[in-house]
Amino acid sequence: MRTLNSDTSLRIAVQKSGRLTDKTLNLLEGIGMRFDDYKRSMLVKCRNFDVELLLIRDDDIPEYVEDGVCDIGFVGGNVTAEDQVNVTVLKGLDYGVCRLSIAAPKNGSIKKVKDFDGKKIATSYPNLTRSFFEKHEVSVDLITLSGAVEIAPRLEVSDAISDLVSSGNTLKANGLVEIATIYESETELIQTNKPLSEGKKKLIEKILLRIEGYQKAERSRYIMMNAPEEAIPKIRNIIPSLKSPTIVPLADDGMVAIHTVVPIAKFWQVMEQLKEAGASGIVMLPIESMIV
Ligand code: ATP
Ligand code: ZN
């Protein structure tokens, strides 16, 4: 096998093509990294950081990080947990959110976990599924498939399945109902437990800080509005701001401009209350990054 570990750049494992690819690359670009041509190459140099990306199948990422071929990697918690690797989870990342669930035919006899006793279950996650049933003291017959698990019951390959679910539409389309959740998953940033140089450790810390800033920014909006001066106390009560709002007098007598940051989850609720309190010309802007 060709050895890839020929220089000292921080090597980051990213899924080559799949559900996590665009979100991970957008995140890396969002924290200021610039790459050329990542669609065509497997190993891509970063233009402005001492970093390179290794684009591979997501199933290979935990092992590559465990072995130190890559220093860090972005991969679903489901894959790392299934592979039972020795790595450090640095951070959950709030995308690629899904769950590993057991599901059975809608009108069949399996309604609860105990009903799986003696049944054949198709899955791509034999380790997580086995330990779930062991914990519940239910004895099952696992059939490991690498894909298309959801059609196994219809093909009479199995009685039920254990598979990743997000919206539940795939299960529904295949006449299956979810019975229980085995594992709640999101994309995680994982780090090797092999020794790292001081330079790489510093760079990883910097990446983590920037990711935190990026995530905070993603969840917040910068809002600007005009209001009569006497409405300021009311408006300050409404805004769940991180810091006190910026208040600037306007040319119009008695009017001010108020600028602040609000969590997006609260935005619409707050927006209505602000209008009622006398605010007008409310503008909302996305924020690129936030270092608090
Ligand atoms: P690869 O070719 O890299 O092995 P894959 O087919 O195994 O790709 P994807 O379907 O792209 O993988 O899924 C990658 C990850 O996305 C999963 O491991 C999981 O963490 C996450 N994910 C989120 N929602 C779902 C879902 N509904 N089904 C499957 N994976 C999901
Ligand atoms: Zn995969």
Side-chain angles (χ1 to χ4, degrees), residues 229-269:
E229 238 171 309
E230 61 272 16
I232 296 173
K234 228 180 185 178
I235 287 175
R236 287 194 64 168
N237 270 337
I238 296 167
I239 298 170
S241 180
L242 301 178
K243 286 196 181 142
S244 57
T246 307
I247 299 176
V248 194
L250 291 178
D252 285 349
D253 236 10
M255 289 294 286
V256 291
I258 302 173
H259 293 202
T260 193
V261 171
V262 295
I264 190 148
K266 294 241 174 167
F267 179 72
W268 291 109
Q269 183 192 339

Side-chain angles (χ1 to χ4, degrees), residues 19 38 43 49 71 88 110 125 151 196 231 259 270-271 286:
R19 289 173 203 259
Y38 48 67
L43 200 56
F49 277 88
D71 303 301
T88 300
I110 303 174
Y125 293 84
I151 60 165
L196 290 171
H259 293 202
V270 166
M271 165 86 118

Side-chain angles (χ1 to χ4, degrees), residues 15 17-20 57-59 76 78-79 96-98 125 164-166 185:
Q15 186 186 22
S17 129
R19 289 173 203 259
L20 310 184
R57 289 197 58 197
D58 70 337
D59 312 56
N78 52 302
V79 183
V97 174
C98 60
Y125 293 84
L164 296 179
V165 183
S166 43
S185 187

Side-chain angles (χ1 to χ4, degrees), residues 3-269:
T3 164
L4 294 163
N5 216 347
S6 55
D7 61 34
T8 59
S9 295
L10 183 79
R11 190 174 293 142
I12 306 180
V14 175
Q15 186 186 22
K16 181 161 182 60
S17 129
R19 289 173 203 259
L20 310 184
T21 309
D22 286 349
K23 288 213 167 113
T24 304
L25 293 170
N26 286 344
L27 171 64
L28 291 172
E29 296 205 325
I31 64 167
M33 292 186 183
R34 297 290 168 260
F35 303 97
D36 296 319
D37 265 0
Y38 48 67
K39 294 270 186 256
R40 269 186 284 151
S41 180
M42 198 182 161
L43 200 56
V44 182
K45 278 252 165 242
C46 176
R47 279 196 263 137
N48 55 345
F49 277 88
D50 192 9
V51 160
E52 62 186 10
L53 300 184
L54 184 66
L55 293 141
I56 49 182
R57 289 197 58 197
D58 70 337
D59 312 56
D60 296 331
I61 293 175
E63 260 182 66
Y64 271 56
V65 172
E66 180 179 46
D67 295 346
V69 175
C70 293
D71 303 301
I72 55 174
F74 290 85
V75 65
N78 52 302
V79 183
T80 307
E82 173 65 22
D83 291 357
Q84 301 171 338
V85 287
N86 172 18
V87 298
T88 300
V89 177
L90 294 177
K91 203 166 180 17
L93 295 166
D94 242 9
Y95 64 90
V97 174
C98 60
R99 55 195 184 273
L100 181 67
S101 286
I102 44 174
K106 196 171 166 220
N107 298 316
S109 60
I110 303 174
K111 305 284 182 213
K112 53 184 190 304
V113 176
K114 293 280 177 222
D115 299 338
F116 282 82
D117 198 54
K119 302 290 186 199
K120 276 194 212 154
I121 303 174
T123 187
S124 306
Y125 293 84
N127 292 329
L128 289 172
T129 306
R130 190 178 309 110
S131 52
F132 173 83
F133 282 110
E134 277 172 8
K135 208 172 69 203
H136 285 82
E137 297 179 336
V138 171
S139 148
V140 295
D141 187 4
L142 292 182
I143 296 159
T144 305
L145 301 177
S146 56
V149 169
E150 66 278 5
I151 60 165
R154 255 198 296 155
L155 301 177
E156 293 179 13
V157 170
S158 71
D159 301 304
I161 65 165
S162 159
D163 202 10
L164 296 179
V165 183
S166 43
S167 67
N169 287 341
T170 308
L171 289 185
K172 215 185 229 173
N174 287 284
L176 300 166
V177 279
E178 222 172 322
I179 310 285
T181 299
I182 294 182
Y183 184 87
E184 302 269 4
S185 187
E186 64 180 338
T187 306
E188 293 172 346
L189 177 56
I190 56 170
Q191 181 183 316
T192 189
N193 287 336
K194 301 271 185 216
L196 290 171
S197 67
E198 283 310 307
K200 283 187 179 180
K201 282 189 206 158
K202 284 221 173 82
L203 191 46
I204 293 170
E205 258 171 53
K206 191 168 178 174
I207 289 170
L208 267 175
L209 260 176
R210 288 194 180 194
I211 289 177
E212 273 160 28
Y214 178 86
Q215 288 183 323
K216 271 190 201 129
E218 244 190 342
R219 292 193 292 261
S220 307
R221 291 294 178 271
Y222 191 88
I223 59 172
M224 303 188 285
M225 74 205 90
N226 296 339
E229 238 171 309
E230 61 272 16
I232 296 173
K234 228 180 185 178
I235 287 175
R236 287 194 64 168
N237 270 337
I238 296 167
I239 298 170
S241 180
L242 301 178
K243 286 196 181 142
S244 57
T246 307
I247 299 176
V248 194
L250 291 178
D252 285 349
D253 236 10
M255 289 294 286
V256 291
I258 302 173
H259 293 202
T260 193
V261 171
V262 295
I264 190 148
K266 294 241 174 167
F267 179 72
W268 291 109
Q269 183 192 339

